[in-house]
Amino acid sequence: MMAATTMVHVRVDENVKAQATETLAAMGLTVSDAIRVFLTRVVADQELPFALKAPNATTRAALAEADEIVKSRRARFATADALLNDLEEASRK
């Protein structure tokens, strides 16, 4: 007995869909086949089947904040002990 199926509706740029359809057809797949493979892998692996390279807004904000912290901190330390001493002094303030 086959499992019940459901429809998934996705809005996507017309050109992206046309190009994806052509590319997938060259691999012997339909867009529906590709989406089924994608969703099956997400379920099986409990993660996306590819790495996301572009940081989201929260990550971009955190990176910008880290850059500002680095720019604002001019201190350089000759040794690890000097750094640790500075950190201990700062925590006492």
Side-chain angles (χ1 to χ4, degrees):
M1 186 163 120
M2 199 166 176
T5 61
T6 187
M7 293 290 293
V8 175
H9 299 274
V10 179
R11 292 199 178 276
V12 64
D13 180 272
E14 186 177 346
N15 291 326
V16 169
K17 181 185 176 199
Q19 291 174 23
T21 300
E22 185 177 329
T23 302
L24 290 165
M27 294 183 237
L29 297 170
T30 65
V31 173
S32 292
D33 293 334
I35 297 300
R36 277 191 293 278
V37 169
F38 170 77
L39 293 176
T40 301
R41 287 288 308 269
V42 168
V43 171
D45 301 339
Q46 294 295 295
E47 64 184 14
L48 291 174
F50 48 81
L52 293 178
K53 304 285 185 185
N56 64 24
T58 302
T59 302
R60 284 192 302 272
L63 291 169
E65 182 181 357
D67 286 343
E68 288 304 314
I69 291 168
V70 169
K71 287 177 188 174
S72 69
R73 186 170 176 96
R74 300 276 183 222
R76 296 290 183 252
F77 303 94
T79 65
D81 285 337
L83 168 62
L84 293 173
N85 289 338
D86 184 70
L87 291 171
E88 287 174 8
E89 287 176 24
S91 69
R92 289 187 204 129
K93 293 180 182 177

